[in-house]
Amino acid sequence: MDNIVTPHGTFIREIKDLIYRRQYEAMKRVNTELIQLYWEIGEEIDRQQRERGWGKSIVEVLAQELQKEFPGVKGFTSRNLWFMRQFYVEYSGSLNLKPLVSDLDNSNLAPSVREADKPVLPPLVAEISWSKNIVIMQKCKDPLMREFYIKMTKRYGWTKDVLINNIENKIFEKYLASQTNFDEIVPEKYRLQAKLAVKDDYNFDFLEMGIEHNEAELEAGIIHNIRAFLAEMGGDFSFIGNQYHLNVADDDYYIDLLLYHRRLRSLIAIELKIGEFKPEYAGKMQFYLTALDEIMKLPEENPAIGIIVCKSKNRTRVEYTLKATNKPIGVATYSFYESLPEEIQSLLPSPDEIAAIITNIGNNDSQK
């Protein structure tokens, strides 16, 4: 009986997988055509306004006529038509994403937009939905920031809500400013995701804690607000335990917080410090990570990662310390604030360095 059922089961799973793949490809093509359509509509609105001197009223009239002609078809409101014009103007004026054209095949674009004398739709923007493009266009004015969030959305399948949350939490700035040794330690296949998992500074406003507190109070506050803590960490973390017990050579050791990162498939050890970072913290973390890899890590999982969260840090001291470590460790700070501290802005790389970092994000997509 098994000899009959098993081939049928395999065959059915293969057909289901085939259908899912084709449905996904069809959805991608539909999205590409929709973005192309909106680009061309935006182009025509802009051209007519420039050449004929038409004002805002033309968009209202156009919206009414399109909704009459295509009843039940969403997307032709006056508000969305203005977004189409803004989309075209912003991405054709300076062609902010032009360096990304080589990232994707543009052979499926209409001939009218492949003419040398016309701005070409940057292919990367067609890889994410219209609603996500609008979020990025409205909330991000810097071209490199836009490129970062488009690539991240495409690569990791961020939903609209996740995208908005990441923009509002300044993931771009925190990613660029973070201090880890992942470039040297973590395999390239997982490096980008690992770096996204560690911010340079964590916002612990949800703790509603006074400036004066000890490490036990900090840990207790986090456990009491574990949902908010995991959200601040980035959304891909699961909580395993606090004061997590390890027994090594008949001695007992306790990790402040132990998490699991779903995308990385790695255990994440977190040590909480209420003072300034000290180099010896990294030595202790290396010990914990070695123990986790030897005792807890499953064969299919990736090596454990450590995050040392301190009240403050000297960046040069952190840099020197991480150079001497052979386990993947990041060093972050925590603070209580409502917006990104100004000092983090001064730590960001130069525009050329940022462009190189973001370019590498797209180049490594084949290694996901």
Side-chain angles (χ1 to χ4, degrees):
M1 189 70 177
D2 289 342
N3 292 334
I4 297 175
V5 174
T6 301
H8 287 181
T10 302
F11 168 72
I12 292 170
R13 283 196 301 272
E14 290 176 349
I15 295 301
K16 287 180 178 179
D17 290 342
L18 176 61
I19 293 172
Y20 282 128
R21 288 198 303 271
R22 292 308 180 194
Q23 285 179 333
Y24 176 69
E25 291 300 321
M27 288 173 60
K28 283 173 53 179
R29 287 195 294 273
V30 169
N31 182 72
T32 299
E33 290 299 322
L34 180 66
I35 300 297
Q36 181 66 51
L37 170 64
Y38 287 175
W39 171 270
E40 293 180 10
I41 291 175
E43 178 184 22
E44 280 303 304
I45 293 173
D46 178 64
R47 185 175 68 82
Q48 294 291 345
Q49 285 188 316
R50 285 187 291 104
E51 293 181 0
R52 298 176 181 269
W54 288 344
K56 295 181 179 181
S57 60
I58 182 56
V59 173
E60 300 293 338
V61 173
L62 178 60
Q64 293 173 10
E65 292 301 318
L66 289 178
Q67 290 176 69
K68 288 179 185 177
E69 185 71 20
F70 305 99
V73 178
K74 298 179 180 180
F76 294 138
T77 64
S78 59
R79 183 170 183 265
N80 208 37
L81 290 174
W82 279 117
F83 280 145
M84 295 176 203
R85 179 187 177 278
Q86 181 186 2
F87 182 67
Y88 172 77
V89 170
E90 296 209 15
Y91 285 141
S92 65
S94 58
L95 219 56
N96 293 334
L97 299 182
K98 190 171 183 179
L100 303 177
V101 169
S102 61
D103 288 354
L104 298 167
D105 177 25
N106 68 353
S107 61
N108 61 335
L109 300 181
S112 62
V113 298
R114 283 191 256 118
E115 298 171 6
D117 61 340
K118 298 184 71 175
V120 179
L121 171 70
L124 191 64
V125 300
E127 291 292 305
I128 65 174
S129 70
W130 175 246
S131 62
K132 294 171 189 173
N133 267 304
I134 296 304
V135 168
I136 293 172
M137 185 172 66
Q138 287 188 302
K139 292 182 174 292
C140 307
K141 299 307 178 184
D142 179 79
L144 291 172
M145 185 183 295
R146 285 177 173 174
E147 185 176 346
F148 173 86
Y149 284 113
I150 291 173
K151 284 187 171 182
M152 288 295 118
T153 299
K154 173 197 169 188
R155 181 163 184 167
Y156 295 112
W158 288 348
T159 64
K160 181 180 175 181
D161 287 342
V162 170
L163 171 63
I164 292 172
N165 182 67
N166 285 337
I167 293 175
E168 291 178 350
N169 282 327
K170 309 290 184 181
I171 293 297
F172 173 69
E173 294 88 342
K174 293 175 183 178
Y175 170 80
L176 293 173
S178 65
Q179 284 194 289
T180 71
N181 61 358
F182 296 168
D183 285 335
E184 293 75 28
I185 304 296
V186 176
E188 186 173 357
K189 184 176 182 180
Y190 308 105
R191 189 177 302 155
L192 177 61
Q193 184 63 68
K195 293 182 74 172
L196 283 174
V198 182
K199 301 179 184 179
D200 189 68
D201 186 81
Y202 291 96
N203 180 356
F204 285 177
D205 274 348
F206 60 85
L207 296 180
E208 298 181 354
M209 181 177 291
I211 295 177
E212 296 296 329
H213 55 269
N214 57 39
E215 288 171 4
E217 291 171 335
L218 178 62
E219 181 182 324
I222 288 173
I223 299 303
H224 185 67
N225 297 274
I226 193 64
R227 281 178 172 269
F229 173 72
L230 293 177
E232 172 61 14
M233 291 297 294
D236 286 316
F237 292 87
S238 298
F239 177 69
I240 296 179
N242 65 303
Q243 291 302 306
Y244 193 86
H245 176 246
L246 291 174
N247 184 277
V248 180
D250 293 326
D251 284 330
D252 295 320
Y253 300 91
Y254 298 89
I255 301 174
D256 288 346
L257 300 171
L258 186 62
L259 310 180
Y260 186 80
H261 195 283
R262 183 173 60 86
R263 293 182 187 272
L264 285 171
R265 293 192 299 170
S266 295
L267 294 165
I268 309 292
I270 297 180
E271 282 291 284
L272 301 170
K273 304 295 180 183
I274 62 169
E276 187 174 14
F277 170 80
K278 297 179 181 178
E280 53 263 37
Y281 296 160
K284 185 179 181 181
M285 180 60 78
Q286 281 198 111
F287 173 80
Y288 286 158
L289 297 180
T290 300
L292 288 172
D293 288 341
E294 293 292 329
I295 299 171
M296 286 195 61
K297 185 178 82 68
L298 299 177
E300 66 272 16
E301 292 178 336
N302 293 308
I305 290 174
I307 305 176
I308 303 170
V309 182
C310 305
K311 189 66 180 71
S312 62
K313 62 180 179 179
N314 178 287
R315 300 187 71 85
T316 301
R317 189 175 296 122
V318 170
E319 181 182 346
Y320 285 4
T321 301
L322 293 181
K323 284 181 178 179
T325 58
N326 56 17
K327 290 289 185 180
I329 297 174
V331 178
T333 56
Y334 72 91
S335 49
F336 307 99
Y337 56 88
E338 294 183 354
S339 59
L340 188 73
E342 292 184 4
E343 57 266 26
I344 290 184
Q345 296 284 353
S346 65
L347 300 173
L348 300 183
S350 68
D352 288 344
E353 291 171 328
I354 295 175
I357 291 170
I358 298 175
T359 298
N360 288 334
I361 292 173
N363 292 341
N364 293 331
D365 275 351
S366 61
Q367 301 183 23
K368 288 189 290 182

